Amino acid sequence: MLGFWLIAGGMTAAAVAFVALRLVVPAERPRHVAPRDANLAALRASWAELDRDRAAGLLPADQVEAARAELAARAERELDEPAPATCARRSWAAAIVAALLIPLAAFGIYRQVGSPEAIDDARGFERVDGPLTAGNLPAYRDQLARHLAGNPRDGRAWAILGRMELALDRYAEAATAFGRAVESSRKVAGDAEIWVDYAEAIGMVGGGTLVGRPEPLIARALEIDSANARALDMAGSLAVEKGDPAGAARHWQALHDRLDPADPRRPELSRAIARVQQLAPPGG
């Protein structure tokens, strides 16, 4: 963790130094061509064009000389005017403000969207040999549980633990873990998939039914993301359990409309929609 903060601090310091340096020591030359230089370049081009026209016999000598005299006079006027200053004013005040605001903004934003604990989580999993497979899932589960014993506010870790418990058919433990996940982190509580997993775990604890405690969890998932495929599927199943075929058809049709045309689930979903529509009362 110390290494992470050292790297983050170094990157922030580099950003502050870059901005402050440009404010305190601005570029000496402008990025654009000054009007005086552009005018002189145009006069030189006109002089060269006169030479070509004279060599080609397009202009008589007296007109060429008159034009040259006019160009010489214009060039003299341009050279008499002083060149514009190209050094920008130093901005110490802006540099000081940048040095204060950039670190505050960087770390303030990171507190809202970052998760430095994820680094420790990633390194912690290296202590278990081999990839995450069904065979070593219990070992990973135990390791994550130990991590949470010392970091009980790590909402994302609680969500991962809940999914591991689901995979191990430990439904009561999964429900507890998902409950801790949504209580511990606003970011996790804003993830519709977590609420669907939570509803599944609660439903399995209750014997496989979605009626009762899973209902508000499914509703919360749809409130967060009305197009969530798993939440729509689960809401349709819940409607069937409650004797509401019209509601089931509505949720499953919404899911059907969001699936890719090549999705293999579409045919079976179409048949399920047709079945519940036949059960729905007229006008329901």
Side-chain angles (χ1 to χ4, degrees):
M1 183 63 69
L2 177 61
F4 166 79
W5 288 115
L6 289 175
I7 294 172
M11 293 176 66
T12 304
V16 170
F18 176 80
V19 174
L21 185 64
R22 296 305 300 268
L23 291 170
V24 176
V25 187
E28 294 294 330
R29 292 184 179 180
R31 294 180 180 273
H32 60 278
V33 178
R36 177 174 178 270
D37 294 337
N39 291 339
L40 289 174
L43 292 174
R44 286 194 293 269
S46 298
W47 190 284
E49 186 177 357
L50 282 174
D51 288 341
R52 290 193 298 270
D53 290 346
R54 180 182 181 185
L58 299 176
L59 291 175
D62 56 341
Q63 292 185 17
V64 172
E65 292 304 322
R68 282 180 172 176
E70 173 62 22
L71 291 176
R74 289 170 57 189
E76 186 176 355
R77 288 195 298 272
E78 291 289 344
L79 292 172
D80 286 342
E81 295 181 1
T86 61
C87 183
R89 181 168 55 90
R90 298 173 185 266
S91 183
W92 289 99
I96 293 172
V97 171
L100 293 173
L101 290 184
I102 290 176
L104 290 175
F107 288 102
I109 293 172
Y110 187 78
R111 285 189 62 188
Q112 297 298 319
V113 302
S115 180
E117 295 85 359
I119 298 174
D120 291 337
D121 294 345
R123 290 176 177 171
F125 281 112
E126 295 174 358
R127 294 192 295 269
V128 177
D129 293 333
L132 180 58
T133 62
N136 58 22
L137 183 59
Y140 277 102
R141 181 264 171 211
D142 293 342
Q143 181 177 301
L144 187 56
R146 288 193 295 272
H147 162 78
L148 284 166
N151 301 272
R153 301 299 299 173
D154 189 344
R156 184 58 62 183
W158 279 114
I160 296 172
L161 178 62
R163 285 170 173 163
M164 288 183 175
E165 301 287 23
L166 272 181
L168 294 169
D169 296 334
R170 294 161 55 95
Y171 303 119
E173 293 82 355
T176 300
F178 288 126
R180 295 292 300 271
V182 298
E183 291 173 1
S184 302
S185 169
R186 286 182 297 175
K187 288 185 291 186
V188 173
D191 186 343
E193 288 288 331
I194 301 299
W195 289 96
V196 175
D197 288 333
Y198 194 4
E200 179 183 351
I202 291 291
M204 295 303 294
V205 170
T209 180
L210 296 175
V211 177
R213 291 178 61 200
E215 294 185 52
L217 309 181
I218 299 169
R220 179 58 180 153
L222 288 173
E223 181 182 346
I224 295 171
D225 181 7
S226 61
N228 184 276
R230 293 178 62 215
L232 287 170
D233 188 18
M234 195 173 285
S237 298
L238 171 62
V240 170
E241 280 196 67
K242 297 182 69 175
D244 180 13
R250 183 173 66 255
H251 289 301
W252 285 342
Q253 187 63 55
L255 171 58
H256 185 276
D257 293 342
R258 285 165 172 77
L259 293 178
D260 186 271
D263 194 303
R265 293 174 292 175
R266 283 173 65 95
E268 178 59 32
L269 191 57
S270 296
R271 291 190 289 271
I273 293 170
R275 287 194 298 269
V276 294
Q277 284 177 337
Q278 292 176 353
L279 299 174

